[in-house]
Amino acid sequence: NRRKNTSTEEFVMQIVAGNIPFLSRAITLVESTHPKHQEQANEILEACLPHANKSIRIGITGVPGVGKSTFIESLGKHLTSLGNKVAVLAIDPSSSVNKGSILGDKTRMEALVTDKNAFIRPSPSGTSLGGVAQKTRETIILCEAAGFDTIIIETVGVGQSETAVHSMTDFFLLLKLAGAGDELQGIKRGIIEMADAIVINKADSGNEKNAKLAKVEFNRALHLYPPKESGWQPKVLLASALHHQGIDAIYAMIDEYMMLTKKSGYFQQKRNEQNTYWLLETINQQLKRNFYNNPKIKDLLQQEVTKLESGKTTPFTAAKRLLYKHNEQ
Ligand code: GDP
């Protein structure tokens, strides 16, 4: 198979030239668990790094049905109409090859799928959020090297996936619906703290009044939080993704945020912090994998669990013994 033998240089040259099939194939290498693929993926990533980093990265979250794909499509079309190149990625740790994942359904975002200045890639599948998130982070680098200047990362709020998306984006946007005045109920506290903006979607079809009330309530809630390190006061905006209303104002706000944080140096500081975070996160993952996949440790762990159950050792002593054994090897 000739395809398997594409050199790293060829990959990088084609990606930097904006060749989408090559970009897709490189992402497939990143997502592969095959050691040979991973090796080449790492080479491609390193070579792409000098061409990356020149984008803005936007994270978007919200419960299923809030209108994430409709919103991303509308925002994406707005961006490409301004001459931007938009890549849409997703983090969905619950997805697997068989189960439909977010973005997996080709009928979603039809207008964006056919836009030559947009690239849409479903969530990588995987069992651990850490693994899925790392692959998405690496995919960002490839997309940036391929000339995409705006990266949108979507997630449904399962587990810690919002934290993962927050840790790889510059701007974090929470989509909400207006309800019956109890807007703040059922919303995870941590998410409000992460949000740079809350967009109340479906502010149309007679729902405008509720949306405005919700806006007041969210604004009040946001002011209860201490000021953000970025110096940015999170904003609440209304939108109708379906009717493309409010989208230009939302993008203008994101643009304002980028200008502000680039000027203050916060933009680069946050990216540096994110890089360090991912360095440590990758080490943690690798250490864990090495430890638990070690056959001797597997045996010994079982023995220690048995001892623990019969009261012959303590968790602390057992852990120490296991770690000592691992270091010995
Ligand atoms: P997701 O699950 O968060 O990705 O939500 P979707 O984008 O799939 O939207 C869920 C449903 O809400 C679809 O039937 C959309 O057409 C509808 N929808 C999305 N945005 C709007 C909006 O702004 N107004 C109205 N009225 N419906 C919307």
Side-chain angles (χ1 to χ4, degrees):
N1 189 338
R2 205 169 57 83
R3 282 190 123 203
K4 274 188 186 153
N5 297 325
T6 308
S7 71
T8 298
E9 292 71 26
E10 176 77 2
F11 261 115
V12 176
M13 199 184 79
Q14 295 293 350
I15 291 169
V16 172
N19 184 321
I20 300 301
F22 273 82
L23 170 65
S24 297
R25 282 174 55 199
I27 296 173
T28 304
L29 289 177
V30 161
E31 291 174 352
S32 168
T33 50
H34 193 291
K36 275 249 168 319
H37 294 166
Q38 286 185 345
E39 197 183 314
Q40 191 174 23
N42 286 337
E43 286 171 14
I44 297 171
L45 281 165
E46 291 233 315
C48 278
L49 265 182
H51 307 280
N53 240 346
K54 291 176 202 112
S55 73
I56 60 167
R57 304 168 183 166
I58 305 167
I60 292 180
T61 191
V63 296
V66 72
K68 287 182 300 301
S69 14
T70 313
F71 179 81
I72 291 171
E73 176 154 55
S74 188
L75 178 64
K77 286 304 279 180
H78 178 64
L79 283 161
T80 57
S81 78
L82 295 174
N84 293 293
K85 283 185 75 180
V86 184
V88 182
L89 313 174
I91 290 192
D92 179 4
S94 66
S95 79
S96 70
V97 182
N98 301 321
K99 263 192 297 173
S101 65
I102 42 174
L103 299 182
D105 183 354
K106 282 284 177 204
T107 59
R108 297 179 84 204
M109 303 190 200
E110 242 166 30
L112 213 52
V113 169
T114 53
D115 189 324
K116 69 172 177 24
N117 286 318
F119 174 73
I120 300 177
R121 180 87 181 188
S123 177
S125 57
T127 44
S128 79
L129 170 62
V132 171
Q134 189 189 333
K135 287 167 191 175
T136 303
R137 205 181 132 79
E138 292 177 342
T139 298
I140 294 176
I141 293 169
L142 296 177
C143 291
E144 289 179 356
F148 290 95
D149 53 44
T150 312
I151 315 286
I152 298 177
I153 305 175
E154 172 188 9
T155 192
V156 286
V158 288
Q160 291 295 303
S161 62
E162 287 110 343
T163 311
V165 172
H166 182 249
S167 69
M168 60 179 83
T169 50
D170 309 310
F171 190 92
F172 195 69
L173 194 153
L174 169 65
L175 278 184
K176 290 293 292 176
L177 293 176
D182 54 353
E183 325 299 357
L184 295 168
Q185 277 189 15
I187 176 166
K188 287 187 251 167
R189 187 190 150 88
I191 298 179
I192 296 248
E193 279 172 322
M194 283 190 278
D196 296 302
I198 295 173
V199 169
I200 299 157
N201 191 34
K202 307 196 188 182
D204 55 43
S205 331
N207 201 26
E208 292 87 346
K209 195 162 160 243
N210 275 341
K212 277 186 192 138
L213 288 172
K215 181 177 170 172
V216 173
E217 197 172 333
F218 276 121
N219 255 325
R220 198 180 296 141
L222 283 173
H223 275 94
L224 298 176
Y225 287 90
K228 283 182 168 278
E229 205 191 334
S230 54
W232 173 259
Q233 174 61 46
K235 305 219 171 352
V236 187
L237 283 92
L238 304 181
S240 168
L242 194 61
H243 303 298
H244 311 290
Q245 281 160 8
I247 304 298
D248 45 356
I250 290 163
Y251 182 59
M253 166 191 64
I254 295 174
D255 208 31
E256 185 194 338
Y257 175 91
M258 297 299 164
M259 285 207 307
L260 207 101
T261 55
K262 279 182 179 168
K263 205 169 151 209
S264 72
Y266 178 79
F267 182 89
Q268 196 51 48
Q269 179 199 325
K270 188 174 175 188
R271 284 211 172 174
N272 292 345
E273 285 168 7
Q274 290 177 337
N275 274 333
T276 308
Y277 169 82
W278 282 100
L279 167 72
L280 300 179
E281 188 66 12
T282 309
I283 292 173
N284 288 343
Q285 277 174 37
Q286 193 63 48
L287 284 175
K288 254 198 202 163
R289 230 187 343 255
N290 291 349
F291 182 82
Y292 289 108
N293 288 343
N294 181 327
K296 288 216 176 100
I297 293 295
K298 277 186 189 165
D299 272 359
L300 200 62
L301 182 60
Q302 202 43 58
Q303 291 169 29
E304 293 290 349
V305 169
T306 312
K307 273 197 224 165
L308 201 57
E309 282 167 356
S310 53
K312 292 196 180 103
T313 187
T314 67
F316 190 67
T317 311
K320 252 182 141 171
R321 240 191 321 265
L322 282 158
L323 289 167
Y324 184 76
K325 186 79 191 165
H326 188 250
N327 286 338
E328 249 185 358
Q329 314 221 338

